[in-house]
Amino acid sequence: MAKQMDYKTLREIFTRFQQGEPEPKGELNHTNAYTLVVAVALSAQATDAGVNKATDKLFQVADTPQKMLDLGEDGVIEHIKTIGLFRQKAKNVIKTARILVEKFDGEVPNSRAALESLPGVGRKTANVVLNMWWGHPAQAVDTHIFRVGNRSGICPGKDVVAVERAIEDHIPVDFQNHAHHWLILHGRYICVARKPKCKACHINDLCQFEDKTE
């Protein structure tokens, strides 16, 4: 694990991220807060591209909790059967829709605790929804961010909660809204797991990773 970077270095890194991609976006397709919750929950152990392909037609017929209930579990399965763990995910989608209708008047709540009370919605999913839909500077730490944070020293931590706290505590506030998107994209396309593309990395000179590729 690299040591935590200092403020000046972090500001330079995120200035470069911002210059390269001023308005980074999540890659899951959605039309409202509810479809975003469903898409993020479905993305566990699946690719964004695979989820988008499955939800393209699903969200055309079920873009509210009530419509999802009307579709039913078998109907959900028919749309998402190309995604891993589709049967359990379909159960969770229907359970979530029922809870939203019965307890939240069909609206998606915007507190982390309320979101985490929904089946299949963990802290990461809740943070994605809070950030992408309501603009709250919540940090959704996935495997990409965990890897980048610990390799580089941007946000090191022994677990995802520690990495989340490192982002919140150390990254300058003016970069917080987009921080996790920049880090995810960097981990997905540049700082990849097996052979990081260090030559193509625009923060190479500031990164603490000792085994940089040539």
Side-chain angles (χ1 to χ4, degrees):
M1 183 189 299
K3 66 179 182 179
Q4 176 65 58
M5 286 179 175
D6 60 38
Y7 176 85
K8 184 177 180 181
T9 305
L10 285 170
R11 176 158 285 284
E12 175 60 26
I13 281 175
F14 281 89
T15 296
R16 295 183 190 181
F17 280 148
Q18 187 177 59
Q19 289 171 343
E21 185 71 55
E23 293 290 333
K25 303 293 183 184
E27 297 182 325
L28 286 171
N29 295 338
H30 60 283
T31 57
N32 55 33
Y34 173 64
T35 55
L36 178 58
V37 169
V38 174
V40 179
L42 292 177
S43 71
Q45 299 181 38
T47 65
D48 287 359
V51 172
N52 288 339
K53 185 175 181 180
T55 58
D56 180 42
K57 291 184 179 179
L58 173 63
F59 292 159
Q60 290 179 32
V61 296
D63 61 353
T64 69
Q66 186 59 58
K67 289 180 182 178
M68 196 68 76
L69 284 177
D70 294 342
L71 180 63
E73 189 175 318
D74 288 342
V76 174
I77 286 174
E78 192 60 32
H79 282 92
I80 70 167
K81 60 187 179 183
T82 55
I83 301 175
L85 307 175
F86 65 90
R87 293 189 188 279
Q88 184 57 50
K89 289 178 179 179
K91 289 181 186 296
N92 286 339
V93 166
I94 292 300
K95 287 179 182 177
T96 292
R98 184 170 291 111
I99 291 171
L100 289 174
V101 168
E102 294 177 355
K103 293 186 177 181
F104 297 100
D105 299 320
E107 299 293 329
V108 175
N110 63 353
S111 78
R112 185 182 287 116
L115 285 166
E116 286 190 61
S117 73
L118 302 172
V121 176
R123 187 177 183 88
K124 185 189 82 170
T125 298
N127 282 346
V128 170
V129 176
L130 291 173
N131 179 278
M132 289 181 62
W133 193 257
W134 282 286
H136 179 69
Q139 308 302 330
V141 177
D142 67 354
T143 55
H144 296 301
I145 295 180
F146 188 80
R147 178 175 66 253
V148 171
N150 280 293
R151 269 183 180 170
S152 65
I154 291 173
C155 48
K158 293 182 179 180
D159 54 43
V160 293
V161 175
V163 171
E164 181 183 328
R165 178 60 60 84
I167 296 173
E168 293 173 346
D169 288 352
H170 295 281
I171 293 174
V173 168
D174 47 316
F175 297 119
Q176 291 270 339
N177 275 349
H178 293 316
H180 88 273
H181 280 133
W182 283 316
L183 291 170
I184 286 172
L185 293 171
H186 191 65
R188 185 173 288 166
Y189 299 111
I190 301 296
C191 194
V192 295
R194 294 188 178 180
K195 292 184 178 179
K197 303 172 183 178
C198 298
K199 274 193 173 182
C201 176
H202 56 299
I203 62 167
N204 187 314
D205 57 318
L206 302 174
C207 173
Q208 297 175 25
F209 185 46
E210 294 181 354
D211 299 319
K212 289 187 173 72
T213 58
E214 294 298 327

